[in-house]
Amino acid sequence: VFIAQSRASGSHRDLEDEELTRIFVMIPKTYTEEDLREKFKMYGDIEYCSIIKNKTTGESKGLGYVRYLKPSQAAQAIEECDRSYRAILAEPKNKSSESFEHDYYSNSMRPELRGNTLPFCMQPEFCSFEKADTRIQEPVSKRLSVVSRLPFIQEQLFALFDLVPGLEYCDVQRDPHTNSGYAVIQYSTAASAIYAKYKLHGFEYPPGNRLTVIFLEDGNDSSE
């Protein structure tokens, strides 16, 4: 599965180069670039490997990049390599490498959420949001209300919200008088619900139809 780019953007190869073929890994500080290549060559054709070093001492920071020729190879490496490497897709080169390293270290040292192959703590966007976003003033919960001008299809809405790990149920209801859509979504943790609201409130689904996502009281202490 690939994310389509707009026709106005650059070539497909440019998109792959920037976002889909480089992975970022945590490695022993004793690793050489040849060691890194040897560990990851089983997943596909490697274009290059590089180890991030301290600019002053020249010593390895215990982090490295592996770039494959195909996005599918990078995806396979992330999925199948030993979890100790904590492999993720690398940030685009236009992001400060120091900033990305800092995010990666702070995120990868946190306990992983159970249940999904790619927990939120491995996604820098979620971690920075979780730590830094202090704007949430409304009571939060594990349950969400989703409203739309158009009626929902149960399977499609479930698939959309299931992109966020921890979905427990999706209950679609329909108002026969207005033909609008209404659904109740519940996650296993408030963190998942917060992230789903953050990402999907205002999301156009289908295109041109914006979703309204708000918290619903779930009977738990929202301060927790």
Side-chain angles (χ1 to χ4, degrees), residues 99-130:
S99 172
F100 181 46
E101 291 168 32
H102 178 270
D103 288 347
Y104 178 83
Y105 264 130
S106 61
N107 297 337
S108 61
M109 290 298 102
R110 300 175 56 192
E112 295 185 1
L113 299 179
R114 296 178 181 271
N116 282 62
T117 305
L118 186 63
F120 281 134
C121 59
M122 298 294 280
Q123 300 178 18
E125 181 185 22
F126 179 79
C127 288
S128 59
F129 160 75
E130 183 183 28

Side-chain angles (χ1 to χ4, degrees), residues 14 72 75 88 94 110 118 145 158 179 202:
D14 290 340
S72 57
I88 61 172
N94 58 8
R110 300 175 56 192
L118 186 63
S145 165
F158 184 95
N179 204 38

Side-chain angles (χ1 to χ4, degrees), residues 33-112:
E33 289 184 1
E34 283 306 311
D35 292 329
L36 186 56
R37 180 181 293 272
E38 186 67 25
K39 292 293 184 182
F40 283 86
K41 68 180 184 180
M42 68 180 72
Y43 306 112
D45 300 318
I46 294 176
E47 188 167 327
Y48 68 77
C49 295
S50 63
I51 292 176
I52 299 173
K53 297 181 179 180
N54 185 297
K55 295 178 181 178
T56 304
T57 65
E59 295 180 349
S60 168
K61 290 186 177 182
L63 299 169
Y65 290 99
V66 180
R67 178 169 167 182
Y68 290 92
L69 293 179
K70 297 179 180 180
S72 57
Q73 296 167 341
Q76 184 177 359
I78 290 173
E79 182 68 23
E80 297 183 7
C81 73
D82 191 282
R83 290 291 172 245
S84 64
Y85 291 114
R86 298 186 179 274
I88 61 172
L89 277 177
E91 287 287 329
K93 292 180 181 179
N94 58 8
K95 176 172 180 176
S96 163
S97 61
E98 287 81 3
S99 172
F100 181 46
E101 291 168 32
H102 178 270
D103 288 347
Y104 178 83
Y105 264 130
S106 61
N107 297 337
S108 61
M109 290 298 102
R110 300 175 56 192
E112 295 185 1

